[in-house]
């Protein structure tokens, strides 16, 4: 088979011969041979990481390795000193590793399955001609040389060269980003194949008409496939949260190991036994490592992802939840994201009047109204010829489904039908005439005409204002045809220009009586026209987008519009939704970006208000790369295969739910409703997630202090160990877990969208947070634990210097009191951690019901630890008289008062946020 790369330059016969096919289609044997040669007509996805490998990774990360080592040391400790509970510790640590691994794996797997479910639709079908018979087959079975049959509404299954067409129009927006209908023909074309009018591309849609085409590329050989291949080559970087969690775990782990070794050496220096020092070293490490952190983070992200899904943002990668919250720049499409992707008539100029019809509709009592104002019947009468022409000179159809009209055909023509339908009863007014001929639109004439016969024959004409005005010699005013002077024509041209400056797609309408014997050709029909008026259409902004843009600006997020539309349209929509507000914004065309060096592009992107018009996919990718080099956290929206490289390159790629599979595959988030407003809601949730992670880190770190201090006391003062290592795990993986997760569900604080995005340099673990946890609240909890421990020992008759066995009832009761004291203090601490900046009274005591469930779980576990035999044996705990808990209440109240005082003083002392 010869080269087919220039197939658009060949005639129909040459193209068929070149592809060794025929107008009757391929034979069964040839199809099988070609399918074997070219493979299925599918976009090959990057080889997925096997599930078992993803699970295995959870057992081998830095955190897991640290716990494996600690577990091994625990078993060694049991071997060196049997019966001191080290075996329980070793088992518990291994359980922690497995819980972390399976929990994290399951949550990520669930998020991936949710995205996969969106793709599990019925396989698209294609109609082909094979052995001169029409067949409907799965589109992945289409082969090179197949003759595909295209009809209105079809999705093109492969790249193909047209061999027949009847008023065929296609929408190439999934490939080019421009949402306009393009007329196709079958003649040879010299130039870029992407601009060729005889080619239909895989993934694009047939807007109207019909045709046949011969396939010349399938699967990865299509234009879609080439871009998909480029997308798969882009390497994914870790998200900001992944980097932060990794930094936090390594930082805390290094501290834990350093302290463990340091105090082991101190104990050795003080003359303690090797076994005692060994237990001490393990205890220090376990006390410092937040074993419950990863499950808490994962579950928090999962809960936030579920919240986002309810707000129409489907999260594919859990870590993307927080990345949205740290976004500093959103690069957004215009069509379908900021706008409704639905052409609407905004203004008409008819009967010498300009009328805004964007609010046209029927009032409840049946009277016509525009923007809430009733229209008198006498005002409608003069515009009826204009509306009839909108209806007659039209190839679109309206279908009523569930009380709402849907458009079949060209969106612009559909908008004209909708306008006519709203103002006049087209079933009565427009059913007395029959179409007898049509002169289709051509790019040289820039108009189309339809000829109808009723009592008389009339041509209804629609086209560009310059073409229609130049061919008109009369204008209809108040039902009378008036001569059109040169001055009148100039004024009409000015009016059309005023529409265009408002970014309205402008058309002119006219009519002309046709003589019975007149030939139905453009030269005869399209002359001496009676001008009826102008119509201005626009794809209007979505409801709520303007408010969403305002929220973004208030949150310090810059919005950059990148569109395939022209400058005027881009700027008009940008102004309407609030992206640009200044008198001199930067509106740059893609061709200018192509000529720029990277430093020039960065300088341009530093402008506060900027829009890119006529931008190509390559331009979009260049803009994203430049923004990332500037240190921005970039979110990018897109729906077409052309957007996939930019979606993949961005920190957070956001695909439209109605977008192509390639775009969805490249994205991190899928917007089910295609609405920019949903992005802003997702940003809010992302910011709340980061805040909440810091809240439960603060909560978890506080309990580290009362877990560490008992071991220091044990070594330095040679007293019984106030808290065992297994009891530490009972706190970290038992009582602290549900309250920490509850903090992860805390609603976003009131001012979350009034703050600037967090810097890439910001850390989860800050000096103020460490001081609050280790220097303020933690020591109070440590004092409470030690006080409870000493109280029980003293009441039991213990004297200083007396060593107690690990199984001694007095020792067991004393350590239990220390454990319960820490848990009681953490109950109060969780309330304070609900906001690191605002008083608990300001945020509301009862806004987060899950915190109270967490507190209830702590109370239940206190009862279980002190009453259930199996837990008493495993943890080394004993029953405690309820009145002993009253000893801890003053410490708990002190924690509450101190934390509220801290929050009160912070802004007054101009102390930086935690």
């Amino acid at each position: 088979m010869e080269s087919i790369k220039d197939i658009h330059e060949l005639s129909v016969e040459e193209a068929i011969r070149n592809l060794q096919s025929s107008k009757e289609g391929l034979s069964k044997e040839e199809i099988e041979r070609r399918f074997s040669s070219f493979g299925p007509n599918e976009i090959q996805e990057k080889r997925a990481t096997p599930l078992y490998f993803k699970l295995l990774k959870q057992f081998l990360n830095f955190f897991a390795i640290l716990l494996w080592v600690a577990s091994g040391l625990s078993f060694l400790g049991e071997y060196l000193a049997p019966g001191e509970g080290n075996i329980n510790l070793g088992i518990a640590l291994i359980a922690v590793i497995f819980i972390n691994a399976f929990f994290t794996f399951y949550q990520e797997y669930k998020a991936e399955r949710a995205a996969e479910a969106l793709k599990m639709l019925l396989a698209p079908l294609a109609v082909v001609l094979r052995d001169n018979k029409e067949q409907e087959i799965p589109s992945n079975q289409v082969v090179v040389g197949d003759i595909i049959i295209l009809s209105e509404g079809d999705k093109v299954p492969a790249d193909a060269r047209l061999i027949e067409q009847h008023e065929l129009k296609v929408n190439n927006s999934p490939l080019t980003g421009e949402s306009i209908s393009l007329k196709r023909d079958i003649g040879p074309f010299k130039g870029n194949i992407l601009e060729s009018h005889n080619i239909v591309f895989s993934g694009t849609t047939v807007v109207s008409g019909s045709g046949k085409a011969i396939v010349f590329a399938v699967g990865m050989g299509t234009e879609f496939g080439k871009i998909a291949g480029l997308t798969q080559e882009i390497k994914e970087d870790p998200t900001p949260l992944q980097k932060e969690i990794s930094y936090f775990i390594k930082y805390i782990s290094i501290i834990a190991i350093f302290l463990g070794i340091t105090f082991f050496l101190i104990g050795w220096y003080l003359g303690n036994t090797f076994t005692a020092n060994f237990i001490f070293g393990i205890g220090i490490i376990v006390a410092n490592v937040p074993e419950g952190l990863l499950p808490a983070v994962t579950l928090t992200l999962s809960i936030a992802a579920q919240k986002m899904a309810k707000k129409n943002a489907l999260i594919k990668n859990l870590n993307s939840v927080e990345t949205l919250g740290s976004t500093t720049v959103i690069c957004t499409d215009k069509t379908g994201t900021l706008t409704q992707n639905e052409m609407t008539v905004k203004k008409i100029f008819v009967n010498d009047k300009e009328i805004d019809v964007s609010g046209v509709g029927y009032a409840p009592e049946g009277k016509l109204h525009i923007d809430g104002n009733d229209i008198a019947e006498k005002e409608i009468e003069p515009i009826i010829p204009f509306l009839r022409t909108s209806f007659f000179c039209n190839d679109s159809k309206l279908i009523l489904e569930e009380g709402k009209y849907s458009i079949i055909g060209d969106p612009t023509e559909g908008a004209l039908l909708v306008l006519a339908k709203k103002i006049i009863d087209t079933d009565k007014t427009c059913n007395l005439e029959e179409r007898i001929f049509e002169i289709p639109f051509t790019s040289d004439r820039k108009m189309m005409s339809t000829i109808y016969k009723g009592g008389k024959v009339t041509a209804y004409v629609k086209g560009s204002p310059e073409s229609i005005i130049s061919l008109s010699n009369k204008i209809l005013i108040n039902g009378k045809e008036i001569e059109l002077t040169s001055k009148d024509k100039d004024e009409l041209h000015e009016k059309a220009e005023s529409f265009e400056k408002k970014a309205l797609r402008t058309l002119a309408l006219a009519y002309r009586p046709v003589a019975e014997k007149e030939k139905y050709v453009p030269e005869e029909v399209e002359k001496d026209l009676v001008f009826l008026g102008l119509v201005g259409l626009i794809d209007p902004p979505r409801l709520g987008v303007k408010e969403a843009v305002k929220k973004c600006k208030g949150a310090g997020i810059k919005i950059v519009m990148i569109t395939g539309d022209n400058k005027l349209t881009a700027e008009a929509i940008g102004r309407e939704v609030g992206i640009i507000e200044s008198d001199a914004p930067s509106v740059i065309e893609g061709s200018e970006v192509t000529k720029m060096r990277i430093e020039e592009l960065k300088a341009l992107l530093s402008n506060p208000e900027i829009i890119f018009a006529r931008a190509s996919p390559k331009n979009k990718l260049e803009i994203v790369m430049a923004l990332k080099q500037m240190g921005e956290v970039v979110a990018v929206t897109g729906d077409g295969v052309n957007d996939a490289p930019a979606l993949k390159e961005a920190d957070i790629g956001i695909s439209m739910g109605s977008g192509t599979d390639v775009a969805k595959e490249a994205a991190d988030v899928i917007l089910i409703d295609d609405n920019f407003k949903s992005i802003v809601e997702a940003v809010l949730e992302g910011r709340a997630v980061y805040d909440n992670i810091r809240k439960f880190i603060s909560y978890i770190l506080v309990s580290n202090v009362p877990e560490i201090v008992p071991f220091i006391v044990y070594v330095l003062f040679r007293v019984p160990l106030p808290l065992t290592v297994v009891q530490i795990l009972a706190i970290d993986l038992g009582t602290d877990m549900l309250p920490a997760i509850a903090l992860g569900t805390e609603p976003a604080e009131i001012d979350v969208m009034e703050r600037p995005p967090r810097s890439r340099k910001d850390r989860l673990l800050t000096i103020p947070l460490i001081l609050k946890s280790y220097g303020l609240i933690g020591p109070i909890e440590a004092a409470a634990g030690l006080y409870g421990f000493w109280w029980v020992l003293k009441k039991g008759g213990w004297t200083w210097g007396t060593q107690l066995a690990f199984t001694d009832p007095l020792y067991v009761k004393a350590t239990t009191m220390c454990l319960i004291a820490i848990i009681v203090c953490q109950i109060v601490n969780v309330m304070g951690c609900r906001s690191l900046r605002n008083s608990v009274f300001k945020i509301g005591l009862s806004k987060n019901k899950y915190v109270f469930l967490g507190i209830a779980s702590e109370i239940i576990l206190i009862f279980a630890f002190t009453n259930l035999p199996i837990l008493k044996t495993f943890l080394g705990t004993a029953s405690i008289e309820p009145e002993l808990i009253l000893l801890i209440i003053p410490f708990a109240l002190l924690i509450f008062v101190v934390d509220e005082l801290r929050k009160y003083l912070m802004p007054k002392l101009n102390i930086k946020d935690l």
Side-chain angles (χ1 to χ4, degrees), residues 12-31:
V12 169
E13 292 73 19
E14 288 171 328
I16 294 172
R17 187 167 60 251
N18 188 280
L19 291 164
Q20 298 175 16
S21 187
S22 70
K23 287 189 175 183
E24 290 75 37
L26 298 169
S27 65
K28 184 180 178 181
E29 293 76 19
E30 183 63 15
I31 291 162

Side-chain angles (χ1 to χ4, degrees), residues 153-156 169-174 201 203-208:
D154 285 352
K155 195 172 185 178
V156 180
K169 290 182 181 178
V170 295
N171 185 335
N172 281 354
S173 61
F201 295 101
T204 61
T205 53
V206 177
V207 174
S208 61

Side-chain angles (χ1 to χ4, degrees), residues 649-706:
E649 177 65 33
D651 293 291
I652 184 91
I654 305 170
S655 169
M656 303 299 109
S658 61
T660 63
D661 287 343
V662 175
K664 290 174 190 172
E665 185 66 29
D668 304 291
V669 177
I670 299 171
L671 281 192
I672 298 167
D673 64 348
D674 296 5
N675 197 336
F676 183 84
K677 184 180 176 183
S678 298
I679 300 175
V680 181
E681 293 291 337
V683 168
L684 183 147
E685 289 296 339
R687 289 192 172 190
V689 161
Y690 188 77
D691 282 355
N692 291 346
I693 289 173
R694 298 188 75 236
K695 288 171 189 175
F696 67 63
I697 282 177
S698 171
Y699 174 74
I700 289 169
L701 289 182
V702 164
S703 63
N704 279 5
V705 178

